[in-house]
Structures are given as structure tokens and as C-alpha cells.
Amino acid sequence: MYQRCIECGKTYEDDEIVYRCECNGLLEIVYDFDKIEVDKEKFKNRVFSVWRYFELLPIKNREKIISLKEGGTPLYRCRNLEEELGVKELYVKNEGANPTGSFKDRGMTVGVSKANELNIKVVGCASTGNTSASLAAYSARAKMKCLVLLPKGKVALGKLAQAMIYGAKVVEIDGNFDKALEMVNELAKEGLIYLLNSINPFRLEGQKTIGYEIADELNWEVPDRVIVPVGNAGNISAIWKGFKEFYELGFINELPKMTGIQAEGAKPIVEAFKKGKREIEPYENPETIATAIRIGKPVNAKKALNAIYESNGYAESVSDEEIIKAQKLLARKEGIFVEPASASSIAGLIKLLDEGVIDRSERIVCITTGHGLKDPDAAIRACEETIKVKSLDELKKLLSS
């Protein structure tokens, strides 16, 4: 196991603390699968969680693992939505069921475990909310100090409350997520913190287990398409890496089309894809109700675009109105409550079905990345006011109407 630059191929030892290559390229974790003894039967006898796939994760010492029993999230067959949208087979992989309510827990259990293996004492991140909540929880479990930088006034209260209650040093800055990330990058370069944003390749190793689990839950078959909300762009590339590794190991025989969805107010990856490019033009002032994907300069854009192109996938953007409509549709048809960013995968599915990009006969998995209680204010604003009655008779009339 080692770290490798996706641009120039330069390699680094797995215990080197490095976030980018000397050429400024992003890093990925590479395994020698010929030396790894693992099979489907070995997985089957373990708890359904991130660490079910221990041999394929970058931790050597099991005793260093920091876990809150993350992963093993439900894959729902959405028959009501299938009927509503006229699609043959639709699933939702609900990452809001993780311990702190988002997919970030998968990355943090691995990232913080790696920090523990490296004897790190202080960790940090920039965040639009979910990353800070997750890192704060896992660092508390690991007895590490934690610093999180948040864009002032741009973080949903549910996420801010989590970061604070877990005991992290929470700093709000005047600026957006990209500015916060620049600041923590500087701290990491000086060795003052161990950075656990998704630029850290070890964190993405935890997130690739979403791909593992989908294959596992579908009895080692693969969906035709996986639709993912895209913010900082680590998740779509990590899930693709998971599928590719299972393919290389011979556990699956096909690969899905990876489809990334961004908000219209923050869609640099979509614009690059539609121009056939592999470089993005950043958004200086990204804006969307979907705070978790309100990112104008996604660090992992190149990895995400690689995943989309390699898989013959697609990228599309959706409006805030489409996101809220999809959020309510998923809740009211399937009983699954997700935050706005999560609903972008459903909104993207609807749009791409209407445009004919997605065939209604496909087997589709939509990833929903965070629980709806992360941003309850957005949900309340999206719904009609509660009904007020003054008497039992009025209540009875209401029931009969």
C-alpha cells in the first residue's frame, strides 16, 4: 500500500504526511491486491459496516481503529417512486443513517484511524457543516484536539450544533468554504494540524465503501447507474474507486455509470463536463439552498471528472426549486427525509429522465448524503404552514375534507 499522484505517478509511503504531490497533483491510495487475502465469504461473516472490508482499507493495526459503527446504511427499494417516475428499478442508499447523520462518517472513521496510527494529536478541517460534525465526533472519540473552520452564517444550524457539542474549536470566518479551506491548508503545511478534508486520500478510502456496500447489498450485481450529489467532489470519485477495486478483484463483472449532480449556483464540474474539459473554472461566490454542496472550487474536481468520463457517466445541475421539490417527493412517497443537498440526486434523476439521458429501464441507485434534520429550517420553509383549528368539530371537518 502506498500513495500515488494521479497526475505524474510519483509515489509516497503510506505513513508520509503529504496532501498533494510535488507537481500539485492529487493523491490516491494504491494496493497490491495479489498480496491481499480476501473473498466474499470472509465479508459475509462480518458485521455490515465500513470495517467489514478491513483488508481493503489503509489501516494496518486494528487496535488503532476509531469507530462509531458507521456504514452498513440501508439501500431502499423505492417502489412508490418507481411508479411515480415510470422507472423499472430505483434504490436510495441513505447515508443519513450514519452516526452523525452523513456519509462523512465513512471517511472520518478511516481518516481519524490513520491519524491515530500516525500518533497525531491535532486534527482540523474546513467545512460547510457535515465534515465538521463528523470530524468533531471522531476526534472526540480518539481524544484528539479538533479545529474546524466554517463560513460565517452559511452553515445549517443542525450541523453547527453538532460540531460545537462534540467539543471542537469552532471558528467562523468571513468568507466562503474555499477561503476556509485555504486557511486550514496553510495550517496543515506548517504541521499545526493533520488535515482531514477530502484532499486527504485516506479519508476517501472510507467513502469508497459506499460502492462496496451497494454491490454487496445487490448480491454482487451492479446498478446501471449511480447518481451522486457533488460538492467538493470526493464522494463520486471514491465510490467509483470502490467499484473499480471490486471489479479488479473479480467480485463484480460490470461497472456503473457515475452521474454527478450539482446545484445551479455552484456547478463548475458540470460546466467542465459539458465542454469536454478536465479542468474547472471556479465559482467565486457559489450560492444554493443546498449548503452541503455550496462549493465553488471543489478540491477533487479532477478525480470526479475522471470518474464521470471513465464510467461513461454524466454531470448535470439542478435548481434550488427542483431540489426542494425532490426533497418533498422523496419524503412523501418513500418516508425518507434528507437534507437539500442529498435531494439533488433525486432532482437530477428526474431531470435526466425527462431529457432522455437516463433510460427508464435502467437499474438506478441514488445516493442521499445527509439526514434531513441536518437542516430543519430549510425543510420547514419548503412546506406549507401547519393547520390551526379551534375546536374538535373543526378537526372533524378537516378529516372529512
Side-chain angles (χ1 to χ4, degrees):
M1 174 180 61
Y2 54 91
Q3 303 178 76
R4 181 177 67 194
C5 175
I6 69 169
E7 298 286 347
C8 72
K10 181 178 173 62
T11 62
Y12 300 84
E13 295 297 322
D14 71 288
D15 59 357
E16 284 187 71
I17 298 177
V18 54
Y19 305 104
R20 280 188 181 272
C21 179
E22 292 174 1
C23 75
N24 204 40
L26 297 168
L27 302 174
E28 63 180 354
I29 307 302
V30 181
Y31 303 85
D32 184 351
F33 290 125
D34 291 335
K35 295 180 179 178
I36 296 175
E37 294 184 10
V38 68
D39 56 49
K40 296 177 187 177
E41 289 303 311
K42 185 177 284 188
F43 296 151
K44 186 188 292 186
N45 296 322
R46 297 175 181 171
V47 173
F48 192 48
S49 71
V50 166
W51 295 104
R52 180 184 182 98
Y53 313 101
F54 173 78
E55 292 84 355
L56 304 177
L57 294 171
I59 305 300
K60 298 172 184 175
N61 185 350
R62 286 181 182 269
E63 293 182 2
K64 296 293 184 178
I65 291 174
I66 305 299
S67 175
L68 290 167
K69 299 189 176 181
E70 53 293 310
T73 56
L75 182 70
Y76 295 109
R77 177 76 182 268
C78 296
R79 296 187 185 276
N80 294 334
L81 272 184
E82 287 174 358
E83 183 179 353
E84 177 80 12
L85 302 178
V87 297
K88 182 179 178 182
E89 195 170 346
L90 174 62
Y91 299 86
V92 162
K93 180 68 167 166
N94 186 20
E95 289 297 291
N98 276 297
T100 75
S102 87
F103 76 96
K104 305 286 187 177
D105 294 346
R106 292 181 184 271
M108 288 308 172
T109 186
V110 176
V112 173
S113 294
K114 191 65 182 181
N116 196 32
E117 208 168 52
L118 295 170
N119 296 312
I120 299 294
K121 304 301 180 185
V122 185
V123 294
C125 70
S127 180
T128 56
N130 283 329
T131 299
S132 65
S134 186
L135 180 57
Y138 283 84
S139 61
R141 184 84 163 173
K143 298 181 181 179
M144 295 176 186
K145 292 181 180 179
C146 177
L147 173 73
V148 299
L149 267 63
L150 308 172
K152 187 176 181 180
K154 298 290 186 179
V155 175
L157 286 178
K159 303 171 189 181
L160 178 60
Q162 284 182 290
M164 294 172 70
I165 201 70
Y166 291 131
K169 290 187 184 297
V170 178
V171 179
E172 292 187 299
I173 68 156
D174 288 322
N176 60 22
F177 168 83
D178 301 305
K179 177 65 175 176
L181 187 58
E182 287 175 15
M183 294 175 73
V184 292
N185 268 321
E186 287 302 314
L187 295 177
K189 285 178 184 176
E190 294 179 28
L192 298 173
I193 63 168
Y194 182 68
L195 185 62
L196 275 165
N197 279 99
S198 60
I199 194 172
N200 185 318
F202 293 105
R203 213 194 86 181
L204 295 186
E205 290 301 285
Q207 290 166 217
K208 76 182 180 184
T209 60
I210 295 175
Y212 288 175
E213 286 185 12
I214 291 170
D216 204 338
E217 287 172 288
L218 292 176
N219 197 29
W220 307 103
E221 294 184 3
V222 173
D224 298 301
R225 188 180 302 269
V226 177
I227 305 178
V228 189
V230 174
N232 216 19
N235 214 25
I236 189 169
S237 55
I239 295 168
W240 175 238
K241 186 174 190 284
F243 281 117
K244 285 199 300 181
E245 289 178 349
F246 265 17
Y247 185 83
E248 186 176 342
L249 286 161
F251 294 166
I252 56 176
N253 298 317
E254 297 176 294
L255 291 166
K257 296 176 180 178
M258 302 301 298
T259 300
I261 306 299
Q262 293 193 290
E264 283 186 355
K267 58 175 181 179
I269 290 172
V270 173
E271 289 183 347
F273 170 77
K274 293 195 172 182
K275 293 174 183 176
K277 295 182 176 180
R278 290 184 183 267
E279 300 285 345
I280 62 164
E281 295 180 13
Y283 275 46
E284 292 301 321
N285 296 295
E287 274 302 331
T288 171
I289 191 173
T291 56
I293 55 174
R294 188 193 283 150
I295 296 172
K297 190 179 180 182
V299 167
N300 289 292
K302 185 157 287 188
K303 284 185 178 181
L305 285 164
N306 287 347
I308 293 166
Y309 288 130
E310 285 176 18
S311 68
N312 194 29
Y314 204 80
E316 187 55 272
S317 63
V318 289
S319 67
D320 282 359
E321 291 74 21
E322 288 170 319
I323 288 171
I324 292 304
K325 184 178 179 182
Q327 183 189 28
K328 292 195 286 188
L329 183 67
L330 182 60
R332 294 173 183 186
K333 291 293 181 180
E334 299 292 349
I336 302 171
F337 180 29
V338 301
E339 66 171 318
S342 295
S344 66
S345 61
I346 303 296
L349 167 64
I350 294 168
K351 186 171 184 175
L352 293 177
L353 285 169
D354 290 343
E355 292 178 351
V357 173
I358 296 178
D359 193 282
R360 295 180 191 273
S361 66
E362 291 183 25
R363 174 189 275 184
I364 303 158
V365 174
C366 288
I367 310 297
T368 55
T369 47
H371 199 286
L373 290 176
K374 290 280 190 171
D375 193 354
D377 289 347
I380 291 169
R381 287 194 300 269
C383 297
E384 60 273 10
E385 290 185 8
T386 55
I387 300 167
K388 298 176 178 63
V389 298
K390 295 181 179 179
S391 67
L392 183 59
D393 286 341
E394 286 185 37
L395 188 56
K396 289 177 180 178
K397 288 179 182 178
L398 178 66
L399 286 172
S400 63
S401 62

PDB file of all heavy atoms in Angstrom, residues 352-383:
ATOM      1  N   LEU A 352     -32.874  14.207 -15.715  1.00  0.00           N
ATOM      2  CA  LEU A 352     -32.216  13.415 -16.749  1.00  0.00           C
ATOM      3  C   LEU A 352     -33.139  12.380 -17.369  1.00  0.00           C
ATOM      4  O   LEU A 352     -32.952  11.988 -18.524  1.00  0.00           O
ATOM      5  CB  LEU A 352     -30.954  12.759 -16.186  1.00  0.00           C
ATOM      6  CG  LEU A 352     -29.837  13.752 -15.804  1.00  0.00           C
ATOM      7  CD1 LEU A 352     -28.660  13.019 -15.180  1.00  0.00           C
ATOM      8  CD2 LEU A 352     -29.379  14.559 -17.018  1.00  0.00           C
ATOM      9  N   LEU A 353     -34.150  11.941 -16.622  1.00  0.00           N
ATOM     10  CA  LEU A 353     -35.195  11.100 -17.216  1.00  0.00           C
ATOM     11  C   LEU A 353     -35.989  11.902 -18.242  1.00  0.00           C
ATOM     12  O   LEU A 353     -36.247  11.438 -19.358  1.00  0.00           O
ATOM     13  CB  LEU A 353     -36.135  10.567 -16.130  1.00  0.00           C
ATOM     14  CG  LEU A 353     -35.616   9.436 -15.246  1.00  0.00           C
ATOM     15  CD1 LEU A 353     -36.561   9.212 -14.063  1.00  0.00           C
ATOM     16  CD2 LEU A 353     -35.450   8.139 -16.040  1.00  0.00           C
ATOM     17  N   ASP A 354     -36.362  13.118 -17.860  1.00  0.00           N
ATOM     18  CA  ASP A 354     -37.134  13.986 -18.759  1.00  0.00           C
ATOM     19  C   ASP A 354     -36.341  14.332 -20.023  1.00  0.00           C
ATOM     20  O   ASP A 354     -36.916  14.479 -21.109  1.00  0.00           O
ATOM     21  CB  ASP A 354     -37.556  15.268 -18.041  1.00  0.00           C
ATOM     22  CG  ASP A 354     -38.613  15.015 -16.968  1.00  0.00           C
ATOM     23  OD1 ASP A 354     -39.244  13.935 -16.994  1.00  0.00           O
ATOM     24  OD2 ASP A 354     -38.802  15.885 -16.094  1.00  0.00           O
ATOM     25  N   GLU A 355     -35.027  14.480 -19.877  1.00  0.00           N
ATOM     26  CA  GLU A 355     -34.186  14.848 -21.021  1.00  0.00           C
ATOM     27  C   GLU A 355     -33.802  13.634 -21.864  1.00  0.00           C
ATOM     28  O   GLU A 355     -33.195  13.791 -22.930  1.00  0.00           O
ATOM     29  CB  GLU A 355     -32.920  15.553 -20.522  1.00  0.00           C
ATOM     30  CG  GLU A 355     -33.188  16.924 -19.901  1.00  0.00           C
ATOM     31  CD  GLU A 355     -31.938  17.582 -19.365  1.00  0.00           C
ATOM     32  OE1 GLU A 355     -30.871  16.915 -19.319  1.00  0.00           O
ATOM     33  OE2 GLU A 355     -32.000  18.763 -18.972  1.00  0.00           O
ATOM     34  N   GLY A 356     -34.118  12.428 -21.384  1.00  0.00           N
ATOM     35  CA  GLY A 356     -33.795  11.221 -22.138  1.00  0.00           C
ATOM     36  C   GLY A 356     -32.361  10.751 -21.970  1.00  0.00           C
ATOM     37  O   GLY A 356     -31.920   9.823 -22.660  1.00  0.00           O
ATOM     38  N   VAL A 357     -31.612  11.371 -21.048  1.00  0.00           N
ATOM     39  CA  VAL A 357     -30.229  10.947 -20.800  1.00  0.00           C
ATOM     40  C   VAL A 357     -30.217   9.601 -20.089  1.00  0.00           C
ATOM     41  O   VAL A 357     -29.388   8.728 -20.371  1.00  0.00           O
ATOM     42  CB  VAL A 357     -29.472  12.005 -19.972  1.00  0.00           C
ATOM     43  CG1 VAL A 357     -28.091  11.495 -19.569  1.00  0.00           C
ATOM     44  CG2 VAL A 357     -29.360  13.316 -20.752  1.00  0.00           C
ATOM     45  N   ILE A 358     -31.151   9.436 -19.131  1.00  0.00           N
ATOM     46  CA  ILE A 358     -31.289   8.176 -18.404  1.00  0.00           C
ATOM     47  C   ILE A 358     -32.472   7.407 -18.960  1.00  0.00           C
ATOM     48  O   ILE A 358     -33.574   7.951 -19.105  1.00  0.00           O
ATOM     49  CB  ILE A 358     -31.486   8.425 -16.894  1.00  0.00           C
ATOM     50  CG1 ILE A 358     -30.246   9.093 -16.290  1.00  0.00           C
ATOM     51  CG2 ILE A 358     -31.783   7.122 -16.161  1.00  0.00           C
ATOM     52  CD1 ILE A 358     -30.371   9.419 -14.819  1.00  0.00           C
ATOM     53  N   ASP A 359     -32.246   6.149 -19.279  1.00  0.00           N
ATOM     54  CA  ASP A 359     -33.313   5.288 -19.778  1.00  0.00           C
ATOM     55  C   ASP A 359     -34.126   4.763 -18.598  1.00  0.00           C
ATOM     56  O   ASP A 359     -33.570   4.395 -17.568  1.00  0.00           O
ATOM     57  CB  ASP A 359     -32.706   4.114 -20.557  1.00  0.00           C
ATOM     58  CG  ASP A 359     -33.760   3.368 -21.355  1.00  0.00           C
ATOM     59  OD1 ASP A 359     -34.508   2.584 -20.744  1.00  0.00           O
ATOM     60  OD2 ASP A 359     -33.823   3.571 -22.581  1.00  0.00           O
ATOM     61  N   ARG A 360     -35.429   4.725 -18.758  1.00  0.00           N
ATOM     62  CA  ARG A 360     -36.304   4.306 -17.652  1.00  0.00           C
ATOM     63  C   ARG A 360     -36.184   2.818 -17.332  1.00  0.00           C
ATOM     64  O   ARG A 360     -36.688   2.359 -16.310  1.00  0.00           O
ATOM     65  CB  ARG A 360     -37.756   4.682 -17.960  1.00  0.00           C
ATOM     66  CG  ARG A 360     -37.961   6.190 -18.023  1.00  0.00           C
ATOM     67  CD  ARG A 360     -39.386   6.611 -18.320  1.00  0.00           C
ATOM     68  NE  ARG A 360     -39.434   8.040 -18.607  1.00  0.00           N
ATOM     69  CZ  ARG A 360     -39.553   8.990 -17.682  1.00  0.00           C
ATOM     70  NH1 ARG A 360     -39.652   8.657 -16.411  1.00  0.00           N
ATOM     71  NH2 ARG A 360     -39.578  10.263 -18.036  1.00  0.00           N
ATOM     72  N   SER A 361     -35.488   2.069 -18.179  1.00  0.00           N
ATOM     73  CA  SER A 361     -35.293   0.641 -17.912  1.00  0.00           C
ATOM     74  C   SER A 361     -34.032   0.366 -17.090  1.00  0.00           C
ATOM     75  O   SER A 361     -33.763  -0.778 -16.720  1.00  0.00           O
ATOM     76  CB  SER A 361     -35.197  -0.133 -19.227  1.00  0.00           C
ATOM     77  OG  SER A 361     -34.027   0.233 -19.941  1.00  0.00           O
ATOM     78  N   GLU A 362     -33.271   1.408 -16.794  1.00  0.00           N
ATOM     79  CA  GLU A 362     -32.026   1.218 -16.045  1.00  0.00           C
ATOM     80  C   GLU A 362     -32.296   0.854 -14.579  1.00  0.00           C
ATOM     81  O   GLU A 362     -33.298   1.258 -13.999  1.00  0.00           O
ATOM     82  CB  GLU A 362     -31.183   2.506 -16.076  1.00  0.00           C
ATOM     83  CG  GLU A 362     -30.608   2.841 -17.431  1.00  0.00           C
ATOM     84  CD  GLU A 362     -29.726   4.088 -17.388  1.00  0.00           C
ATOM     85  OE1 GLU A 362     -29.193   4.413 -16.310  1.00  0.00           O
ATOM     86  OE2 GLU A 362     -29.569   4.737 -18.445  1.00  0.00           O
ATOM     87  N   ARG A 363     -31.351   0.124 -14.002  1.00  0.00           N
ATOM     88  CA  ARG A 363     -31.327  -0.080 -12.550  1.00  0.00           C
ATOM     89  C   ARG A 363     -30.497   1.059 -11.975  1.00  0.00           C
ATOM     90  O   ARG A 363     -29.310   1.206 -12.288  1.00  0.00           O
ATOM     91  CB  ARG A 363     -30.700  -1.428 -12.197  1.00  0.00           C
ATOM     92  CG  ARG A 363     -30.514  -1.625 -10.700  1.00  0.00           C
ATOM     93  CD  ARG A 363     -29.692  -2.868 -10.385  1.00  0.00           C
ATOM     94  NE  ARG A 363     -30.524  -4.051 -10.353  1.00  0.00           N
ATOM     95  CZ  ARG A 363     -30.073  -5.254 -10.024  1.00  0.00           C
ATOM     96  NH1 ARG A 363     -28.799  -5.432  -9.739  1.00  0.00           N
ATOM     97  NH2 ARG A 363     -30.891  -6.286 -10.005  1.00  0.00           N
ATOM     98  N   ILE A 364     -31.118   1.876 -11.128  1.00  0.00           N
ATOM     99  CA  ILE A 364     -30.510   3.130 -10.673  1.00  0.00           C
ATOM    100  C   ILE A 364     -30.392   3.158  -9.158  1.00  0.00           C
ATOM    101  O   ILE A 364     -31.321   2.774  -8.433  1.00  0.00           O
ATOM    102  CB  ILE A 364     -31.373   4.331 -11.131  1.00  0.00           C
ATOM    103  CG1 ILE A 364     -31.530   4.321 -12.658  1.00  0.00           C
ATOM    104  CG2 ILE A 364     -30.785   5.649 -10.644  1.00  0.00           C
ATOM    105  CD1 ILE A 364     -32.743   5.089 -13.152  1.00  0.00           C
ATOM    106  N   VAL A 365     -29.246   3.644  -8.664  1.00  0.00           N
ATOM    107  CA  VAL A 365     -29.066   3.912  -7.235  1.00  0.00           C
ATOM    108  C   VAL A 365     -28.776   5.396  -7.060  1.00  0.00           C
ATOM    109  O   VAL A 365     -27.827   5.922  -7.651  1.00  0.00           O
ATOM    110  CB  VAL A 365     -27.918   3.086  -6.626  1.00  0.00           C
ATOM    111  CG1 VAL A 365     -27.680   3.505  -5.173  1.00  0.00           C
ATOM    112  CG2 VAL A 365     -28.232   1.588  -6.682  1.00  0.00           C
ATOM    113  N   CYS A 366     -29.607   6.073  -6.272  1.00  0.00           N
ATOM    114  CA  CYS A 366     -29.358   7.471  -5.896  1.00  0.00           C
ATOM    115  C   CYS A 366     -28.743   7.497  -4.499  1.00  0.00           C
ATOM    116  O   CYS A 366     -29.267   6.864  -3.576  1.00  0.00           O
ATOM    117  CB  CYS A 366     -30.654   8.275  -5.897  1.00  0.00           C
ATOM    118  SG  CYS A 366     -31.307   8.623  -7.534  1.00  0.00           S
ATOM    119  N   ILE A 367     -27.652   8.214  -4.342  1.00  0.00           N
ATOM    120  CA  ILE A 367     -27.033   8.383  -3.032  1.00  0.00           C
ATOM    121  C   ILE A 367     -27.644   9.614  -2.363  1.00  0.00           C
ATOM    122  O   ILE A 367     -27.657  10.702  -2.949  1.00  0.00           O
ATOM    123  CB  ILE A 367     -25.512   8.583  -3.142  1.00  0.00           C
ATOM    124  CG1 ILE A 367     -24.873   7.502  -4.021  1.00  0.00           C
ATOM    125  CG2 ILE A 367     -24.880   8.609  -1.752  1.00  0.00           C
ATOM    126  CD1 ILE A 367     -24.996   6.100  -3.521  1.00  0.00           C
ATOM    127  N   THR A 368     -28.172   9.440  -1.162  1.00  0.00           N
ATOM    128  CA  THR A 368     -28.605  10.598  -0.362  1.00  0.00           C
ATOM    129  C   THR A 368     -27.610  10.727   0.778  1.00  0.00           C
ATOM    130  O   THR A 368     -27.429   9.811   1.566  1.00  0.00           O
ATOM    131  CB  THR A 368     -30.046  10.439   0.147  1.00  0.00           C
ATOM    132  OG1 THR A 368     -30.185   9.216   0.866  1.00  0.00           O
ATOM    133  CG2 THR A 368     -31.022  10.433  -1.023  1.00  0.00           C
ATOM    134  N   THR A 369     -26.968  11.870   0.848  1.00  0.00           N
ATOM    135  CA  THR A 369     -25.746  12.002   1.631  1.00  0.00           C
ATOM    136  C   THR A 369     -25.930  12.428   3.080  1.00  0.00           C
ATOM    137  O   THR A 369     -25.036  12.209   3.905  1.00  0.00           O
ATOM    138  CB  THR A 369     -24.808  12.998   0.940  1.00  0.00           C
ATOM    139  OG1 THR A 369     -25.560  14.168   0.572  1.00  0.00           O
ATOM    140  CG2 THR A 369     -24.210  12.394  -0.311  1.00  0.00           C
ATOM    141  N   GLY A 370     -27.063  13.053   3.423  1.00  0.00           N
ATOM    142  CA  GLY A 370     -27.229  13.536   4.787  1.00  0.00           C
ATOM    143  C   GLY A 370     -28.677  13.569   5.235  1.00  0.00           C
ATOM    144  O   GLY A 370     -29.595  13.738   4.435  1.00  0.00           O
ATOM    145  N   HIS A 371     -28.884  13.414   6.526  1.00  0.00           N
ATOM    146  CA  HIS A 371     -30.225  13.382   7.118  1.00  0.00           C
ATOM    147  C   HIS A 371     -30.909  14.752   7.034  1.00  0.00           C
ATOM    148  O   HIS A 371     -30.254  15.791   7.120  1.00  0.00           O
ATOM    149  CB  HIS A 371     -30.116  12.952   8.589  1.00  0.00           C
ATOM    150  CG  HIS A 371     -31.400  12.464   9.171  1.00  0.00           C
ATOM    151  ND1 HIS A 371     -32.430  13.310   9.502  1.00  0.00           N
ATOM    152  CD2 HIS A 371     -31.829  11.215   9.475  1.00  0.00           C
ATOM    153  CE1 HIS A 371     -33.447  12.603   9.985  1.00  0.00           C
ATOM    154  NE2 HIS A 371     -33.100  11.326   9.983  1.00  0.00           N
ATOM    155  N   GLY A 372     -32.219  14.731   6.912  1.00  0.00           N
ATOM    156  CA  GLY A 372     -32.983  15.973   6.816  1.00  0.00           C
ATOM    157  C   GLY A 372     -32.899  16.854   8.051  1.00  0.00           C
ATOM    158  O   GLY A 372     -33.041  18.079   7.960  1.00  0.00           O
ATOM    159  N   LEU A 373     -32.660  16.249   9.212  1.00  0.00           N
ATOM    160  CA  LEU A 373     -32.560  17.039  10.437  1.00  0.00           C
ATOM    161  C   LEU A 373     -31.263  17.842  10.519  1.00  0.00           C
ATOM    162  O   LEU A 373     -31.096  18.639  11.438  1.00  0.00           O
ATOM    163  CB  LEU A 373     -32.698  16.129  11.667  1.00  0.00           C
ATOM    164  CG  LEU A 373     -34.101  15.550  11.882  1.00  0.00           C
ATOM    165  CD1 LEU A 373     -34.112  14.584  13.061  1.00  0.00           C
ATOM    166  CD2 LEU A 373     -35.129  16.656  12.099  1.00  0.00           C
ATOM    167  N   LYS A 374     -30.381  17.646   9.558  1.00  0.00           N
ATOM    168  CA  LYS A 374     -29.196  18.491   9.468  1.00  0.00           C
ATOM    169  C   LYS A 374     -29.595  19.944   9.198  1.00  0.00           C
ATOM    170  O   LYS A 374     -28.911  20.871   9.610  1.00  0.00           O
ATOM    171  CB  LYS A 374     -28.297  18.005   8.324  1.00  0.00           C
ATOM    172  CG  LYS A 374     -27.610  16.678   8.579  1.00  0.00           C
ATOM    173  CD  LYS A 374     -26.405  16.860   9.459  1.00  0.00           C
ATOM    174  CE  LYS A 374     -25.566  15.603   9.536  1.00  0.00           C
ATOM    175  NZ  LYS A 374     -24.292  15.855  10.221  1.00  0.00           N
ATOM    176  N   ASP A 375     -30.680  20.126   8.453  1.00  0.00           N
ATOM    177  CA  ASP A 375     -31.122  21.472   8.070  1.00  0.00           C
ATOM    178  C   ASP A 375     -32.640  21.553   8.162  1.00  0.00           C
ATOM    179  O   ASP A 375     -33.343  21.657   7.147  1.00  0.00           O
ATOM    180  CB  ASP A 375     -30.647  21.793   6.654  1.00  0.00           C
ATOM    181  CG  ASP A 375     -30.787  23.271   6.302  1.00  0.00           C
ATOM    182  OD1 ASP A 375     -31.368  24.017   7.128  1.00  0.00           O
ATOM    183  OD2 ASP A 375     -30.345  23.674   5.210  1.00  0.00           O
ATOM    184  N   PRO A 376     -33.193  21.496   9.391  1.00  0.00           N
ATOM    185  CA  PRO A 376     -34.653  21.509   9.541  1.00  0.00           C
ATOM    186  C   PRO A 376     -35.298  22.812   9.091  1.00  0.00           C
ATOM    187  O   PRO A 376     -36.440  22.816   8.630  1.00  0.00           O
ATOM    188  CB  PRO A 376     -34.854  21.273  11.042  1.00  0.00           C
ATOM    189  CG  PRO A 376     -33.577  21.727  11.680  1.00  0.00           C
ATOM    190  CD  PRO A 376     -32.508  21.413  10.689  1.00  0.00           C
ATOM    191  N   ASP A 377     -34.565  23.921   9.201  1.00  0.00           N
ATOM    192  CA  ASP A 377     -35.131  25.212   8.793  1.00  0.00           C
ATOM    193  C   ASP A 377     -35.491  25.209   7.318  1.00  0.00           C
ATOM    194  O   ASP A 377     -36.540  25.732   6.913  1.00  0.00           O
ATOM    195  CB  ASP A 377     -34.147  26.348   9.077  1.00  0.00           C
ATOM    196  CG  ASP A 377     -33.990  26.634  10.570  1.00  0.00           C
ATOM    197  OD1 ASP A 377     -34.823  26.123  11.342  1.00  0.00           O
ATOM    198  OD2 ASP A 377     -33.035  27.331  10.940  1.00  0.00           O
ATOM    199  N   ALA A 378     -34.624  24.618   6.495  1.00  0.00           N
ATOM    200  CA  ALA A 378     -34.892  24.561   5.052  1.00  0.00           C
ATOM    201  C   ALA A 378     -36.142  23.743   4.766  1.00  0.00           C
ATOM    202  O   ALA A 378     -36.950  24.094   3.899  1.00  0.00           O
ATOM    203  CB  ALA A 378     -33.700  23.966   4.315  1.00  0.00           C
ATOM    204  N   ALA A 379     -36.315  22.656   5.511  1.00  0.00           N
ATOM    205  CA  ALA A 379     -37.491  21.800   5.311  1.00  0.00           C
ATOM    206  C   ALA A 379     -38.771  22.520   5.697  1.00  0.00           C
ATOM    207  O   ALA A 379     -39.788  22.446   4.998  1.00  0.00           O
ATOM    208  CB  ALA A 379     -37.336  20.515   6.114  1.00  0.00           C
ATOM    209  N   ILE A 380     -38.721  23.232   6.808  1.00  0.00           N
ATOM    210  CA  ILE A 380     -39.912  23.957   7.275  1.00  0.00           C
ATOM    211  C   ILE A 380     -40.293  25.047   6.282  1.00  0.00           C
ATOM    212  O   ILE A 380     -41.467  25.231   5.943  1.00  0.00           O
ATOM    213  CB  ILE A 380     -39.670  24.541   8.686  1.00  0.00           C
ATOM    214  CG1 ILE A 380     -39.578  23.405   9.709  1.00  0.00           C
ATOM    215  CG2 ILE A 380     -40.792  25.512   9.070  1.00  0.00           C
ATOM    216  CD1 ILE A 380     -39.079  23.835  11.072  1.00  0.00           C
ATOM    217  N   ARG A 381     -39.275  25.766   5.773  1.00  0.00           N
ATOM    218  CA  ARG A 381     -39.551  26.826   4.799  1.00  0.00           C
ATOM    219  C   ARG A 381     -40.165  26.269   3.513  1.00  0.00           C
ATOM    220  O   ARG A 381     -40.928  26.952   2.838  1.00  0.00           O
ATOM    221  CB  ARG A 381     -38.263  27.591   4.467  1.00  0.00           C
ATOM    222  CG  ARG A 381     -37.764  28.502   5.568  1.00  0.00           C
ATOM    223  CD  ARG A 381     -36.700  29.466   5.036  1.00  0.00           C
ATOM    224  NE  ARG A 381     -35.541  28.751   4.491  1.00  0.00           N
ATOM    225  CZ  ARG A 381     -34.463  28.417   5.209  1.00  0.00           C
ATOM    226  NH1 ARG A 381     -34.415  28.710   6.502  1.00  0.00           N
ATOM    227  NH2 ARG A 381     -33.453  27.799   4.639  1.00  0.00           N
ATOM    228  N   ALA A 382     -39.818  25.032   3.193  1.00  0.00           N
ATOM    229  CA  ALA A 382     -40.296  24.429   1.948  1.00  0.00           C
ATOM    230  C   ALA A 382     -41.732  23.928   2.029  1.00  0.00           C
ATOM    231  O   ALA A 382     -42.341  23.629   1.007  1.00  0.00           O
ATOM    232  CB  ALA A 382     -39.382  23.271   1.559  1.00  0.00           C
ATOM    233  N   CYS A 383     -42.248  23.832   3.242  1.00  0.00           N
ATOM    234  CA  CYS A 383     -43.588  23.259   3.430  1.00  0.00           C
ATOM    235  C   CYS A 383     -44.614  24.320   3.768  1.00  0.00           C
ATOM    236  O   CYS A 383     -44.276  25.422   4.218  1.00  0.00           O
ATOM    237  CB  CYS A 383     -43.560  22.203   4.537  1.00  0.00           C
ATOM    238  SG  CYS A 383     -42.500  20.797   4.151  1.00  0.00           S
TER     239      CYS A 383
END
